Amino acid sequence: MTATDPAKAASRPVPVSIDPSIAPPGTRNFRDAGGIPADKWHADQNGETLVPTHCCFCGVQCGMYLRVDKGGKVFGVEPRNHDINRMRLCPKGINAYQQVNHPDRLTSPLMRRSRDEEFKECSWDEALDFTVSEIRRIQAEHGNDAFGLLGGASLFSEKTYLVGKFARVALKTKHVDYNGRLCMVSAAGANKLAFGIDRAGNPFSDILLSDCLLIAGSNVGECFPVMTQYLWGARDRGATLIVIDPRETAVARTADIHVALKPGTDSAFFNAVLNVVIDQGLTDEAYLAANTTGWDEVKKTVAEYPPARSAEICGIPASQIVQVARVFAGADRAMAWHARGIEHHSQGVENCLSVINLCVATGNIGKPGAGYGTITGQGNGQGGREHGQKSDLLPGGRSITNPEHRKQICQIWGIEESELPGAGTSMMEMVWQMQRKEIRGLIGICNNPFVSLPNYAVVKDGYDTAEFHAQFDFFLSETAANAHVVFPVTTWAEDEGVMANAEARVVKHNKAQEPPAGVRTDTWVICELARRLGAGQHFDFPGSREVFEELRIASAGTVNDYYGITYDRLDETGGIVWPCPSTEHPGTPRLFEDGRSYHADGKIHLQVVEWHPPMDAYTEEFPLSLTTGRTVAHFLSGNQTRRLGALVEQTPRPWVEVHPSHGFRNGDPVRVVTRRGSEVFPALVTEAIRPDTVFIPYHWPVPTAANALTIDALDPRSKIPEYKVCAARIEAAERVDEVPAPPTAPGHEAYPETQVSRTDPLPPTAPQGRGTAERS
Amino acid sequence: MMGRTIFIDPGRCIGCQACVSACRECDSHRGKSMIHLDYTEPGMSVASLPSVCMHCEDPVAPCAEVCPADAILVTADGVVQQADTTRCIGCSNCVNACPFGIPKIDLQAKLQMKCNLCYDRTAYGLAPMCATVCPTGALFYGTLEELQAERPGVQVADSFVFGDVVVQTGVAMVVPADKVQWPVPGGLPVVEINGRDVR
Ligand code: SF4
Ligand code: SF4
């Protein structure tokens, strides 16, 4: 939590020029020099096949090869020199292949008529017929909107397009949303308001050209590990690193300035930084005058946030605010990257807008090495909302309430505009509606709200109140284990499709093996349900390729233009960044190079941001901030990673991170209490967290779920839950709550070899996991 | 002059253990990781440090020197191999001899296991698995010139003192630039090692 002198930072060695298109540090002569043709389909070597594809997990979308044996089964991974990651992979990526032929895979549909019964394996026909009859019954009794659909941002974009179309055309319901709602919708909302386009402004490679990097609310080292190489590459050239985070993460540890502010105070901080920037005359007035609207109002508002006031709110020294302002505004080319740390708030959109205001006011926009980026948590967090899976959006990012947009889509879909439902509600709101019996039936695809939504008691109650619930997954998630019907579907390695990563770069995943017997693709299941619901003529898609062709056309002419992107081009190029309006167009890695935004007037619309306190009030009873996040070995709800041995070994269980000032010793059982409930975790005592803050990683189910404690307050604009701050207290407890085994199909135990350390009562050595030196 | 080798830069390490997972994928010891990751100051910081076999050059491989069964081969290019399974008697002498704590005994198999610089890969011109995937370049495989071309001003050390003994290794460590008193490969005189004046 220290900072270096900016003067010292400025006197770093003179940067050598690195061509970002060639290689970030340390990658020049690796692999791909040796016998295996890069980025070609099915390079054959010793009977083993390497299939080029991408990681299924986070928004970096690292390129990798899957190793396929002579029998056509995926059995390993090999690094791939793709220009996103250039061979690099994180532990999740390296172990991902183990999911494909994992003994816990679901290989038959499961069904039960009521939640009191046990699941039974059944035929596809039985599962589909039961689902369709329940949809029909519920909709006949309570109207079309009584049935809802929840998709996921780990699905290929083709499938997210199908989810949106299926809801509106086959189910004829307005209630469709997706778990990207829990991911980066605050950033999306802010970008849309300010720039008229919803994506990062710059490619990762611009990081290498930047002189000052500001990382706000992102534990890059654990959540987007492979992006770290770009940060370190920039620093090799002398770039200054500023990290805003209540915890001293691996990246914050080496930052030039680490601002450990109190959770939920980000916009107060950024307003004060802008206040100092203005005060010191470091704004780019010419740029502001020519390219923006709203600057005067912003200026007036930030005048209300002098450093002294914000320092008080944020619990940091005022001098740090001044220092950040000088370093960021003083750099030639500065960039800001942010993630859930500032987005998961009831003021998530405001927080992102305050960062945008800072970038634009200092003229750091639309230039190599200068701009902003949003780091997407999920593989397709970016692409997942672009084509109509979000409740208020139609394909191509069109608005479902805009008559012109509705007409365009109805024409493509071949339906009457009167048949197209209006805007629905968000994921958390749909759960509340289930509690109120406004939504009585639900299909969930590729999501696990029992672990990933806040305030578990409410979530469980909502799902239990629903009369019918079907879930698609390839492992039995905690949510699927509570359903009536479970459809066993493919992993990412058994189908082809595209995802858009954090740079909005569309990449293609390739099929590496045939699905196991009994498993179908999500595309097949959705189309089959549509056919049985009588909408088959709109869902005649043999596979992803055909869906992508319709998606391309449906997006043509919109801001999110995919028209010029084809599977063939993706195979050749290794990824194209939208907008890409024609098949000759190279894509648009960097936005606003001509100074124009995507608003009709071409201006950047700066927005006034006012800070307000978090929704859960601190009192004497609940004096601490509870914040949550990820650990490098696990992904989101952990349904996938809590079954892979190496990852379970690395981080077998959650813990609560507390400052030594609370008097606990490492491993002590600590009860964390919030207004929603209480649970017991082993203490990981560390000086790398603020004394007034505690942290719990959220990948585990109850009774070790951070989300049994978090608050279901939403940002009024983005409807993202306020995961990153709620009021809490901690107290000594007797023993820690044990992590339950992941659920499996009836008659199967969780694969024991992958669960060896799960019942360990101690916290890992460090947030990144258990050290291996002391164990081997 | 140092050839292609691994350079370890703890300052870059984010403790992610990608190296550990990747090591497990190597075909010569699939399923077991030969790399160790230490969180050096738990409770104080998230700092971490990967340890691979340092491939000691001078004195040549203490582990191999003490092996009663002559199971540890040192190749002409300086790679200290994992024990030959047909010779190893699982006696743990190597474990005790190694100043860096690298070799481990698989108690069930009664066999020694250690990093062999991914000989199955490096022999074909590929980088070791750990250094290939490391997201931060904390593990870098290449020559000193390649490292310095990418990280201007970087300084490395390949000598360590243990009591009175100086061990020179095939694998090198990146050291803080203001501590450039180590004998860097190809040359400078030994002045200070691990903070101790050895002139
Ligand atoms: S999880 Fe993210 S950083 Fe890790 S390998 Fe996959 S895409 Fe890369
Ligand atoms: S892969 Fe690299 S950054 Fe990650 S723990 Fe290993 S050495 Fe450190």
Side-chain angles (χ1 to χ4, degrees):
Chain A
M1 297 176 202
T2 52
T4 54
D5 175 9
K8 193 172 143 217
S11 71
R12 289 257 184 86
V14 186
V16 293
S17 70
I18 292 177
D19 179 354
S21 67
I22 298 176
T27 55
R28 207 170 280 150
N29 298 298
F30 294 174
R31 194 66 206 209
D32 288 1
I36 296 161
D39 303 317
K40 292 266 157 56
W41 267 87
H42 297 106
D44 211 331
Q45 185 165 300
N46 305 331
E48 168 191 334
T49 307
L50 294 179
V51 177
T53 187
H54 292 262
C55 176
C56 55
F57 294 127
C58 85
V60 180
Q61 284 296 290
C62 296
M64 59 166 60
Y65 291 106
L66 287 173
R67 298 174 71 180
V68 180
D69 68 14
K70 283 189 191 127
K73 290 273 181 221
V74 169
F75 77 102
V77 65
E78 185 62 41
R80 173 182 172 203
N81 199 3
H82 189 279
D83 60 359
I84 292 173
N85 61 310
R86 298 174 165 110
M87 320 295 281
R88 315 315 208 178
L89 292 170
C90 84
K92 292 184 289 287
I94 294 164
N95 290 292
Y97 79 88
Q98 292 164 19
Q99 303 189 80
V100 182
N101 296 303
H102 195 285
D104 288 1
R105 277 289 294 272
L106 296 172
T107 51
S108 161
L110 303 175
M111 196 176 118
R112 58 182 169 189
R113 298 212 168 245
S114 96
R115 290 195 184 87
D116 308 327
E117 293 170 20
E118 292 286 299
F119 271 128
K120 280 209 189 61
E121 296 197 345
C122 66
S123 72
W124 274 95
D125 269 334
E126 279 174 282
L128 290 162
D129 285 344
F130 179 47
T131 304
V132 167
S133 72
E134 285 294 283
I135 294 171
R136 286 233 162 91
R137 179 184 66 77
I138 288 170
Q139 291 192 324
E141 287 171 17
H142 305 284
N144 287 348
D145 290 340
F147 207 92
L149 191 61
L150 280 175
S154 303
L155 290 165
F156 294 149
S157 294
E158 292 84 348
K159 297 177 182 182
T160 67
Y161 172 84
L162 271 186
V163 167
K165 183 173 176 183
F166 176 78
R168 276 88 177 222
V169 176
L171 282 179
K172 300 185 167 54
T173 178
K174 66 179 183 186
H175 284 130
V176 54
D177 206 49
Y178 77 128
N179 66 4
R181 183 69 79 173
L182 320 175
C183 180
M184 57 171 292
V185 287
S186 289
N191 295 341
K192 198 86 193 204
L193 277 171
F195 301 115
I197 185 169
D198 152 19
R199 53 157 274 208
N202 301 63
F204 290 150
S205 55
D206 267 7
I207 295 173
L208 293 171
L209 305 172
S210 180
D211 300 310
C212 175
L213 293 161
L214 186 147
I215 310 285
S218 177
N219 181 0
V220 177
E222 294 198 69
C223 306
F224 320 97
V226 171
M227 193 177 153
T228 318
Q229 63 176 317
Y230 291 97
L231 303 186
W232 283 187
R235 302 196 77 195
D236 287 340
R237 296 178 43 259
T240 314
L241 180 63
I242 305 170
V243 174
I244 320 289
D245 201 309
R247 299 163 75 212
E248 192 184 280
T249 59
V251 169
R253 180 176 79 85
T254 61
D256 298 277
I257 307 172
H258 171 208
V259 183
L261 43 60
K262 199 173 155 91
T265 63
D266 307 273
S267 55
F269 172 78
F270 285 107
N271 274 355
V273 171
L274 189 50
N275 175 306
V276 177
V277 170
I278 295 169
D279 203 46
Q280 308 235 334
L282 294 170
T283 50
D284 188 340
E285 292 296 334
Y287 186 87
L288 286 164
N291 298 301
T292 66
T293 64
W295 175 232
D296 288 339
E297 291 76 16
V298 169
K299 221 162 144 177
K300 228 178 278 157
T301 316
V302 299
E304 309 292 316
Y305 293 83
R309 178 183 170 211
S310 286
E312 175 85 28
I313 295 173
C314 305
I316 53 167
S319 59
Q320 272 201 325
I321 296 174
V322 178
Q323 204 182 12
V324 170
R326 284 207 190 121
V327 171
F328 188 86
D332 260 359
R333 293 164 296 185
M335 276 183 110
W337 288 82
H338 53 80
R340 304 309 82 71
I342 73 164
E343 295 160 17
H344 274 163
H345 289 281
S346 57
Q347 48 199 323
V349 177
E350 276 107 329
N351 288 345
C352 298
L353 286 168
S354 65
V355 176
I356 291 171
N357 287 348
L358 177 62
C359 290
V360 176
T362 51
N364 280 304
I365 203 83
K367 292 186 286 198
Y372 73 97
T374 54
I375 304 171
T376 50
Q378 304 187 64
N380 206 17
Q382 175 69 46
R385 70 174 170 280
E386 288 166 3
H387 299 291
Q389 190 183 203
K390 192 161 167 261
S391 62
D392 53 349
L393 292 183
L394 287 171
R398 291 180 179 89
S399 163
I400 201 161
T401 48
N402 179 321
E404 189 57 32
H405 291 177
R406 290 170 63 88
K407 211 183 292 158
Q408 290 166 349
I409 283 302
C410 288
Q411 239 161 33
I412 295 165
W413 283 351
I415 59 172
E416 290 300 318
E417 204 207 308
S418 56
E419 294 174 71
L420 187 68
T425 52
S426 74
M427 190 159 178
M428 192 67 218
E429 290 171 308
M430 281 172 68
V431 172
W432 296 335
Q433 284 173 298
M434 291 200 284
Q435 275 188 309
R436 298 195 299 262
K437 300 194 176 171
E438 289 165 25
I439 295 177
R440 291 172 179 254
L442 184 83
I443 296 179
I445 305 178
C446 185
N447 54 41
N448 190 11
F450 276 37
V451 179
S452 61
L453 273 178
N455 202 350
Y456 170 76
V458 166
V459 178
K460 168 88 171 132
D461 185 51
Y463 274 79
D464 279 349
T465 311
E467 292 163 24
F468 174 79
H469 167 209
Q471 194 75 21
F472 291 31
D473 217 321
F474 54 84
F475 290 133
L476 195 67
S477 69
E478 283 74 12
T479 308
N482 194 63
H484 293 94
V485 173
V486 183
F487 293 110
V489 288
T490 42
T491 64
W492 91 113
E494 292 149 0
D495 201 358
E496 59 179 353
V498 304
M499 292 209 193
N501 81 345
E503 311 160 290
R505 183 203 297 248
V506 181
V507 296
K508 180 160 166 272
H509 290 237
N510 294 317
K511 178 172 168 175
Q513 75 165 38
E514 286 302 323
V519 170
R520 306 282 162 85
T521 66
D522 319 68
T523 307
W524 183 90
V525 188
I526 295 171
C527 293
E528 190 57 28
L529 282 172
R531 195 177 65 74
R532 287 167 194 242
L533 285 166
Q537 75 276 21
H538 300 294
F539 291 86
D540 185 14
F541 299 111
S544 300
R545 203 169 273 270
E546 291 76 13
V547 183
F548 190 73
E549 285 308 304
E550 187 174 301
L551 183 161
R552 279 180 62 213
I553 295 164
S555 76
T558 66
V559 174
N560 304 42
D561 200 331
Y562 272 47
Y563 185 73
I565 304 175
T566 64
Y567 274 15
D568 289 342
R569 285 190 78 195
L570 291 176
D571 280 338
E572 279 160 29
T573 56
I576 297 173
V577 189
W578 65 262
C580 178
S582 75
T583 46
E584 287 75 45
H585 194 282
T588 318
R590 191 181 299 116
L591 299 176
F592 324 121
E593 286 191 280
D594 54 1
R596 288 186 65 81
S597 82
Y598 285 75
H599 286 302
D601 60 1
K603 305 268 192 210
I604 297 169
H605 297 182
L606 296 175
Q607 310 281 325
V608 167
V609 174
E610 288 281 7
W611 175 80
H612 59 82
M615 297 309 272
D616 210 20
Y618 302 114
T619 54
E620 241 168 69
E621 203 188 343
F622 298 108
L624 301 175
S625 299
L626 165 64
T627 190
T628 66
R630 280 156 65 173
T631 176
V632 64
H634 291 291
F635 188 64
L636 307 188
S637 80
N639 183 39
Q640 302 176 62
T641 51
R642 281 185 280 114
R643 299 172 193 267
L644 306 183
L647 301 179
V648 176
E649 276 293 299
Q650 184 172 341
T651 312
R653 62 159 305 121
W655 64 90
V656 57
E657 227 162 283
V658 296
H659 191 267
S661 58
H662 295 287
F664 291 106
R665 279 172 322 169
N666 216 42
D668 281 354
V670 172
R671 178 178 300 282
V672 184
V673 191
T674 70
R675 295 188 174 96
R676 270 72 50 201
S678 84
E679 284 174 338
V680 183
F681 303 88
L684 199 160
V685 179
T686 176
E687 298 193 353
I689 192 165
R690 289 177 61 93
D692 59 8
T693 302
V694 295
F695 168 88
I696 306 172
Y698 70 81
H699 312 284
W700 288 267
V702 281
T704 51
N707 282 328
L709 309 174
T710 49
I711 184 170
D712 50 342
L714 306 181
D715 180 298
R717 283 188 280 195
S718 67
K719 307 289 166 74
I720 208 168
E722 186 152 64
Y723 292 105
K724 288 295 185 277
V725 55
C726 66
R729 73 163 179 271
I730 53 176
E731 47 198 49
E734 289 281 288
R735 77 181 69 79
V736 299
D737 288 328
E738 194 168 291
V739 182
T744 49
H748 297 265
E749 293 267 297
Y751 187 50
E753 280 176 42
T754 65
Q755 300 294 324
V756 180
S757 306
R758 182 177 46 77
T759 50
D760 247 8
L762 292 174
T765 328
Q768 305 102 308
R770 308 202 294 177
T772 59
E774 65 263 38
R775 277 188 291 141
S776 38
Chain B
M1 211 40 196
M2 192 177 280
R4 302 185 80 75
T5 188
I6 289 181
F7 295 88
I8 303 173
D9 184 349
R12 297 183 168 236
C13 179
I14 52 173
C16 69
Q17 298 198 29
C19 50
V20 176
S21 274
C23 186
R24 218 177 262 121
E25 293 301 316
C26 173
D27 282 331
S28 63
H29 46 77
R30 192 114 197 245
K32 288 235 178 215
S33 177
M34 298 297 120
I35 196 166
H36 312 308
L37 195 89
D38 272 315
Y39 297 104
T40 51
E41 297 174 292
M44 302 287 290
S45 128
V46 292
S48 48
L49 168 73
S51 324
V52 296
C53 171
M54 300 300 285
H55 299 281
C56 302
E57 286 180 346
D58 183 20
V60 84
C63 58
E65 279 184 25
V66 300
C67 176
D70 266 349
I72 303 177
L73 169 81
V74 183
T75 57
D77 50 355
V79 175
V80 182
Q81 297 286 352
Q82 166 171 320
D84 179 344
T85 50
T86 64
R87 290 178 154 249
C88 175
I89 54 173
C91 70
S92 295
N93 261 358
C94 51
V95 175
N96 297 326
C98 172
F100 298 100
I102 298 299
K104 296 286 174 237
I105 300 291
D106 179 334
L107 288 173
Q108 266 169 346
K110 295 209 169 52
L111 285 176
Q112 178 251 35
M113 304 193 85
K114 68 175 274 298
C115 156
N116 60 358
L117 204 80
C118 272
Y119 213 62
D120 60 325
R121 302 172 72 84
T122 46
Y124 289 97
L126 307 178
M129 243 343 206
C130 58
T132 308
V133 302
C134 172
T136 64
L139 293 166
F140 175 97
Y141 180 77
T143 64
L144 182 62
E145 292 70 36
E146 285 165 349
L147 179 76
Q148 287 176 333
E150 290 179 350
R151 302 180 197 169
V154 74
Q155 300 294 342
V156 305
D158 66 349
S159 295
F160 301 81
V161 278
F162 298 93
D164 293 337
V165 184
V166 177
V167 178
Q168 204 194 329
T169 56
V171 164
M173 279 313 252
V174 169
V175 294
D178 54 358
K179 290 245 168 160
V180 192
Q181 302 296 335
W182 277 261
V184 292
L188 297 176
V190 181
V191 178
E192 182 199 298
I193 293 176
N194 296 2
R196 216 189 76 196
D197 196 327
V198 292
R199 265 176 292 201

